[in-house]
Amino acid sequence: MASPSPAGMLFENVFIGLGSNLGGREHHLRLAREKLRSHPEIELRQQSSLYRTAPVGVLDQPEFLNQVIEIATRLTPQALLHTLLQIERELGRVRDKKWGPRTIDLDILAFDQRRINTTELVVPHPEIRRRRFVLAPWAEIAPDFRPPESGQTVAELFASCNDKSAVHV
């Protein structure tokens, strides 16, 4: 839920999924968090542990490191999306193959309790229920959060997830 900032402007709480499976994976995740933390309109609230996870979609690629963070921001959803895409470009992300290897992947999982469905952005992220590699770290930091339209908490979504792929801290 939105909370007032010291200046009186409303912050909205946002959950972002981070992933990397190329190069210095931990380094890429750390740099992405640092870039978000240094943005004047973003405050990093909490971060999960790093989880080693099997790839999804394209299986013939390196193992991922995944994480979920919670931020507070005054940015609009579209402005945040553009910020995330810019960070991905700065960290060498190349989008040449769907579900292919990547230096960094930054996905908006939930933007407070907003429901967004544009050609550019769908929130809550449509694949949440099927992604154990997102639900495990998210349940670590916000087990009681209820993504819009889910009817369940993150912990309940994780417990009922049909994806049985390996996820290790």
Side-chain angles (χ1 to χ4, degrees), residues 38-91:
S38 70
H39 193 288
E41 300 295 327
I42 295 173
E43 174 188 316
L44 182 61
R45 292 257 168 104
Q46 51 180 338
Q47 64 188 45
S48 74
S49 302
L50 300 181
Y51 287 73
R52 292 180 298 112
T53 65
V56 173
V58 176
L59 303 180
D60 185 23
Q61 61 179 312
E63 178 181 74
F64 276 83
L65 276 184
N66 288 100
Q67 179 176 49
V68 171
I69 62 171
E70 179 184 10
I71 66 167
T73 187
R74 290 186 294 252
L75 294 173
T76 66
Q78 290 72 22
L80 178 60
L81 174 64
H82 292 195
T83 297
L84 297 180
L85 293 172
Q86 179 61 36
I87 291 170
E88 286 183 347
R89 283 189 296 275
E90 289 171 7
L91 295 180

Side-chain angles (χ1 to χ4, degrees), residues 2 5 12 14 17 26 29 43 47-48 51 56 58 83-84 100 104 113 116 125-126 130-131 138 140 142 145 150:
S5 70
E12 293 192 82
V14 179
E26 284 186 50
L29 295 175
E43 174 188 316
Q47 64 188 45
S48 74
Y51 287 73
V56 173
V58 176
T83 297
L84 297 180
I104 193 72
Q113 289 298 311
I116 303 163
H125 195 289
R130 294 185 287 273
R131 291 186 171 173
W138 198 359
E140 176 189 335
F145 179 77
S150 72

